[in-house]
């Protein structure tokens, strides 16, 4: 197969291979349409990009092969282009009527129906253009409440036409199937008006409507009428939806064969050559990030296609494509970039997520999470009991996500992704966590969506800040200024360093940098900036240690680490420079 450069974001064409394993759902809907009584409306629900058009295409193809169904396809988005809302509304209805009339060779009857429809619509259009506000609503009222009940006359004429089409021996059509696609691409309020008119005009024998629209669009379109949805008024929104839709069908995104689908797309762009990503890993990573939305998956594949081209042009970075762990991590980072851009940016600045703590979280949230302190404390205490929030970095992530509703809903999935990176993808890696993430995240920056107000040369790069001297020398200065028996908290130590840098340089040290440097210089902090210490540099970085809690009864208390009088029983963590193996020494 020839290598593709990117994937076109289009629905699966009629009759094309089913890569998501949803053909059985399309077949079931086709069988239902063949046998169901009429009039009837089916609502195919799903978020934008979930594959609604693809399943409509599949149904259309199935029914078209039998040749006994008159099928009408309406794209509401196309009808709305370069049109006012009221014009789009009338164009959609006219198009359906035109298609129905084309099924009848009786020109006299067709002409009469069209004249009736034109008269009504012209009157409605006059009403709409004479008003400054709520034009679509005015048209709906005009169409549904015209004198002489002309809508009823039109519906009776169309019903008579539909029945005659099905009864005529020379006509092959047994039902009229109308597909209305892309309703969720137009203004929700307009979409609701279209639904209401379709229900009132085309509720006729022989007709089945298949509407691609999500319930959430209906909710937004009705807010002007019922207000924001609450538990108290939910029934009003549901009652309207149920009045229009007799059979709701939810796109089965949870049943998509995502591993198979994404693997096939990655193979097409040659991303999975040389140590390809395991299909099970793909499915896991996708489930924690972008989910089964086909549109998001195509964006992912296009991003990876571009990144692959960049990697191919560099001898050093090309090695990434030959390393399964790095390739899987690269895949994860692009998924993170698409699903949770703010967390991706956080990782860009602080790549060693194991060092994230509450100080970093506070620098980002400004304690907004505590504005609703009762809810935060309740949720925080509950989630700390789970496996994915029992470590400090996970709890910092929780704080950061708490203030953003969309991220808070997905905070468990985000934590699971980072744990999957740590425990699965990089479990056998000998490289420093910060180093490997920094390397790969820099390669993904070309597809990141960032504000153009920023200097574009800095996209994907952490800011280089120059203080009056290296940060480690400030820690040494604080070490020298303290008495040997002084006891202080980590927060107090960081404040001393922070203030000294600000006084010397006039610059606020980045909270993440300060946090990482504190851990680097603390011998018995197991994270130890991912063990950025080896035997050769131990004496220069070992400045502080945590006092044994059993001796003080308090956590987080620190003292100076004295080479001539080291604390017996304390552990020094480091990483062997040659073997990359994590090591520890107990001070005797």
């Amino acid at each position: 197969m020839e290598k593709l450069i990117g994937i076109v974001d289009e629905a699966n064409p009629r009759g094309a291979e089913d890569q998501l394993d949803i053909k059985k759902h399309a077949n079931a809907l086709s069988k239902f349409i063949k046998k169901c009584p009429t009039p009837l409306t089916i609502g195919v629900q799903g978020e934008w990009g979930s594959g609604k058009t693809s399943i409509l295409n599949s149904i259309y193809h199935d029914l078209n092969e039998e040749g006994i169904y008159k099928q009408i396809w309406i794209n509401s988005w196309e009808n709305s282009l370069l049109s006012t809302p009221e014009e789009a509304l009338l164009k959609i209805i006219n198009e359906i009527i035109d298609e129905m009339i084309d099924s009848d060779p009786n020109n006299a009857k067709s002409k009469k129906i069209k004249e009736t429809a034109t008269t009504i619509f012209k009157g409605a259009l006059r009403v709409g253009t004479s008003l400054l506000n709520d034009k679509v609503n005015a048209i709906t009222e005009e169409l549904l409440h015209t004198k002489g009940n002309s809508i009823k006359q039109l519906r009776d004429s169309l019903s008579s036409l539909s029945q005659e089409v099905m009864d005529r021996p020379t006509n092959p059509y047994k039902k009229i199937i109308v597909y209305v696609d892309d309703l969720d691409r137009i203004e929700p309020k307009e979409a609701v008006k279209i639904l209401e008119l379709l229900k009132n005009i085309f509720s006729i024998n022989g007709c089945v409507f298949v509407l691609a629209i999500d319930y959430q669009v209906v909710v937004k379109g009705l807010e002007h009428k019922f207000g924001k949805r609450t538990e108290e008024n939910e029934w009003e929104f549901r009652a309207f939806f149920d009045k229009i839709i007799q059979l709701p069908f939810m796109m089965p995104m949870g049943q998509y064969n995502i591993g198979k689908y994404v693997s096939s797309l990655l193979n097409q762009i040659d991303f999975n050559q040389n140590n390809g990503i395991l299909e099970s890993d793909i499915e896991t990573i996708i489930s924690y990030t972008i989910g089964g939305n086909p549109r998001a998956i195509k964006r992912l594949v296009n991003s990876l296609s571009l990144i692959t081209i960049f990697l191919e042009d560099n001898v050093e970075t090309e090695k990434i494509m030959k390393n399964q762990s790095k390739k899987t991590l690269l895949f994860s980072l692009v998924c993170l970039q698409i699903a949770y851009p703010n967390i991706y940016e956080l990782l860009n600045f602080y790549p060693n997520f194991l060092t994230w703590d509450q100080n970093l979280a506070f620098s980002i949230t400004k304690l907004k999470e505590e504005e609703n302190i009762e809810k935060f404390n309740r949720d925080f205490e509950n989630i700390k009991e789970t496996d994915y929030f029992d470590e400090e970095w996970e709890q910092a992530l929780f704080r950061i996500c708490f203030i953003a509703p969309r991220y808070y809903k997905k905070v468990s999935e985000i934590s699971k992704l980072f744990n999957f990176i740590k425990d699965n993808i990089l479990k056998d890696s000998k490289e420093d966590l910060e180093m490997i993430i920094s390397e790969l995240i820099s390669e993904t920056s070309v597809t990141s969506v960032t504000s153009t107000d920023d200097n574009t040369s800095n996209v994907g790069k952490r800011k280089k800040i120059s203080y009056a001297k290296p940060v480690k020398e400030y820690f040494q200065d604080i070490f020298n200024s303290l008495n040997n028996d002084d006891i202080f908290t980590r927060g107090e130590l960081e404040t001393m360093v922070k203030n000294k840098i600000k006084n010397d340089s006039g610059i606020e040290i980045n909270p993440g940098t300060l946090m990482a440097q504190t851990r680097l210089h603390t011998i018995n902090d197991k994270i130890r900036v991912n063990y950025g210490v080896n035997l050769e540099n131990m004496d220069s970085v070992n400045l502080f240690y945590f006092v044994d809690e059993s001796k003080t009864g308090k956590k987080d208390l620190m003292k100076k680490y004295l080479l001539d009088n080291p604390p017996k029983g304390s552990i020094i963590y480091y990483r062997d420079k040659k073997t990359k193996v994590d090591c520890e020494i107990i001070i005797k």
Side-chain angles (χ1 to χ4, degrees):
M1 181 188 296
E2 184 180 353
K3 175 183 176 180
L4 295 181
I5 303 297
I7 303 294
V8 178
D9 183 14
E10 291 181 348
N12 211 30
R14 294 166 191 169
E17 180 185 355
D18 172 34
Q19 294 181 314
L20 287 172
D21 286 356
I22 58 172
K23 181 63 177 171
K24 62 181 179 181
H25 300 283
N27 289 342
L29 284 171
S30 296
K31 289 178 183 177
F32 181 89
I33 290 170
K34 292 175 187 177
K35 297 179 180 180
C36 71
T38 59
L40 189 129
T41 303
I42 300 171
V44 177
Q45 302 177 77
E47 64 187 47
W48 192 66
S50 60
K52 296 190 294 294
T53 302
S54 295
I55 206 166
L56 262 60
N57 275 339
S58 184
I59 297 168
Y60 188 104
H61 177 75
D62 288 348
L63 298 180
N64 199 51
E65 287 190 327
E66 299 193 23
I68 59 173
Y69 303 99
K70 171 65 178 177
Q71 300 198 91
I72 302 170
W73 189 281
I74 304 297
N75 188 300
S76 49
W77 168 249
E78 290 178 358
N79 278 292
S80 69
L81 294 174
L82 302 178
S83 301
T84 61
E86 61 272 18
E87 289 170 342
L89 189 65
L90 301 183
K91 281 165 65 177
I92 289 170
I93 296 169
N94 261 325
E95 187 176 347
I96 296 172
I97 292 174
D98 284 344
E99 289 277 357
M100 290 181 68
I101 288 174
D102 285 344
S103 304
D104 186 15
N106 187 330
N107 292 331
K109 179 177 285 189
S110 299
K111 184 178 180 182
K112 182 179 179 182
I113 292 173
K114 198 155 190 178
E115 285 175 352
T116 302
T118 301
T119 300
I120 295 172
F121 294 154
K122 280 183 177 178
L125 189 58
R126 276 198 308 276
V127 172
T129 53
S130 68
L131 299 174
L132 292 176
N133 298 311
D134 211 9
K135 294 179 181 179
V136 177
N137 189 58
I139 288 176
T140 306
E141 293 300 313
E142 173 71 9
L143 288 175
L144 297 181
H145 303 291
T146 45
K147 291 180 181 179
N149 207 359
S150 47
I151 276 290
K152 184 178 184 303
Q153 294 173 18
L154 176 59
R155 186 169 57 237
D156 289 344
S157 298
L158 289 170
S159 184
S160 174
L161 170 62
S162 174
Q163 193 63 47
E164 192 167 323
V165 165
M166 291 184 293
D167 290 345
R168 190 180 302 113
T170 57
N171 197 318
Y173 301 131
K174 302 303 179 187
K175 277 182 182 175
I176 299 171
I177 319 296
V178 183
Y179 304 87
V180 183
D181 193 22
D182 277 343
L183 276 167
D184 52 6
R185 293 183 68 181
I186 63 178
E187 181 68 30
K189 191 174 178 181
E190 296 166 34
V192 165
K193 294 302 178 185
I194 291 170
L195 289 175
E196 199 166 18
L197 278 174
L198 292 178
K199 170 67 177 176
N200 282 280
I201 295 176
F202 296 102
S203 184
I204 55 180
N205 288 330
C207 272
V208 177
F209 272 77
V210 186
L211 310 175
I213 187 166
D214 192 35
Y215 177 62
Q216 299 306 318
V217 173
V218 174
V219 168
K220 290 180 181 176
L222 289 171
E223 284 180 352
H224 72 287
K225 186 174 183 180
F226 302 134
K228 290 286 183 181
R229 183 175 55 165
T230 64
E231 290 183 6
E232 289 73 21
N233 67 6
E234 165 70 24
W235 68 272
E236 294 180 287
F237 293 94
R238 181 59 65 181
F240 178 90
F241 189 77
D242 291 345
K243 180 180 71 174
I244 305 293
I245 307 295
Q246 286 78 60
L247 174 65
F249 173 81
M250 179 61 70
M251 290 299 296
M253 291 176 62
Q255 299 179 41
Y256 291 173
N257 192 333
I258 296 301
K260 171 187 171 184
Y261 177 54
V262 178
S263 290
S264 70
L265 294 178
L266 295 181
N267 288 333
Q268 290 178 47
I269 64 169
D270 273 4
F271 183 83
N272 245 2
Q273 63 177 347
N274 299 322
N275 290 318
I277 307 174
L278 298 176
E279 196 170 292
S280 59
D281 285 353
I282 290 174
E283 194 157 351
T284 297
I285 295 164
I286 292 287
S287 71
Y288 293 155
T289 53
I290 62 178
N293 188 301
R295 178 161 286 124
I297 289 171
K298 288 170 185 173
R299 178 186 163 188
L300 165 68
V301 174
N302 285 333
S303 296
L304 291 170
S305 180
L306 177 62
I307 290 167
T308 302
I309 294 172
F310 279 110
L311 293 175
E312 288 173 348
D313 292 338
N314 187 304
V315 175
E316 289 299 315
T317 56
E318 190 180 10
K319 294 177 183 177
I320 294 171
M321 300 303 292
K322 298 177 181 179
N323 183 304
Q324 187 180 57
S325 293
K326 287 189 174 182
K327 187 184 292 187
T328 307
L329 178 57
L330 180 71
F331 178 84
S332 302
L333 292 174
V334 178
C335 287
L336 180 72
Q337 180 189 87
I338 294 171
Y340 315 113
N342 291 353
I343 304 300
Y344 169 85
E345 285 301 315
L346 177 65
L347 190 67
N348 181 33
F349 280 91
Y350 311 111
N352 187 356
F353 55 86
L354 296 179
T355 65
W356 295 356
D357 69 356
Q358 73 171 12
N359 291 335
L360 173 63
F362 291 158
S363 72
I364 294 168
T365 68
K366 311 300 183 189
L367 288 178
K368 288 180 182 177
E369 69 271 25
E370 297 187 6
E371 290 177 358
N372 187 348
I373 191 65
E374 289 185 10
K375 175 174 171 51
F376 174 77
N377 285 341
R378 182 177 62 251
D379 292 358
F380 191 51
E381 290 304 315
N382 288 337
I383 207 162
K384 282 196 297 186
E385 300 300 318
T386 66
D387 291 340
Y388 291 104
F389 292 94
D390 57 353
E391 295 184 30
E392 187 174 13
W393 68 267
E394 296 165 329
Q395 292 165 15
L397 174 65
F398 179 83
R399 281 185 177 274
I400 292 166
C401 291
F402 187 85
I403 63 171
R406 189 173 76 84
Y407 285 37
Y408 185 54
K409 289 178 184 177
K410 298 289 185 179
V411 67
S412 292
E413 281 72 19
I414 300 172
S415 180
K416 288 176 183 178
L417 174 68
F418 283 120
N419 275 283
F420 187 78
I421 290 173
K422 173 175 68 79
D423 298 333
N424 294 78
I425 299 175
L426 298 180
K427 66 177 180 179
D428 297 322
S429 176
K430 302 299 182 183
E431 292 187 53
D432 180 89
L433 179 65
E434 181 168 6
M435 185 183 301
I436 191 170
I437 290 181
S438 294
E439 175 193 10
L440 294 180
I441 209 164
S442 67
E443 300 300 336
T444 66
S445 63
V446 293
T447 56
S448 178
V449 179
T450 57
S451 171
T452 52
D453 292 338
D454 299 330
N455 185 338
T456 54
S457 65
N458 289 327
V459 171
K461 297 180 181 178
R462 282 174 289 153
K463 268 185 183 175
K464 301 288 186 182
I465 300 177
S466 296
Y467 306 109
K469 55 187 176 182
V471 175
K472 66 179 182 180
E473 292 187 19
Y474 286 105
F475 276 86
Q476 187 67 57
D477 290 345
I478 298 300
F479 177 90
N480 295 334
S481 70
L482 293 168
N483 295 319
N484 291 350
D485 294 327
D486 284 349
I487 296 180
F488 42 90
T489 66
R490 180 174 61 181
E492 289 169 341
L493 172 62
E494 290 182 345
T495 298
M496 287 186 280
V497 175
K498 176 182 175 181
N499 290 341
K500 188 161 183 58
I501 290 175
K502 182 70 182 290
N503 291 336
D504 264 15
S505 312
I507 300 172
E508 288 276 0
I509 186 171
N510 187 293
T513 301
L514 180 59
M515 170 189 61
Q517 288 290 324
T518 302
R519 283 180 158 156
L520 179 64
H521 295 293
T522 305
I523 69 164
N524 53 350
D525 188 324
K526 191 172 183 180
I527 295 177
R528 195 80 182 258
V529 194
N530 203 41
Y531 298 53
V533 183
N534 53 60
L535 285 172
E536 288 77 9
N537 73 343
M538 280 177 63
D539 287 347
S540 65
V541 298
N542 288 341
L543 299 179
F544 308 99
Y545 73 96
F546 284 111
V547 180
D548 189 341
E549 184 182 345
S550 64
K551 296 178 181 178
T552 64
K554 296 181 179 179
K555 294 181 179 180
D556 208 32
L557 294 181
M558 307 179 79
K559 290 186 71 173
K560 291 170 60 171
Y561 171 73
L562 304 174
L563 291 174
D564 58 350
N565 185 27
K568 293 180 181 180
S570 290
I571 300 174
I572 298 179
Y573 296 101
Y574 71 97
R575 174 166 289 171
D576 188 279
K577 192 173 183 180
K578 294 179 181 178
T579 65
K580 307 298 183 185
V581 173
D582 296 337
C583 304
E584 57 184 60
I585 299 173
I586 299 178
I587 301 173
K588 297 180 180 179

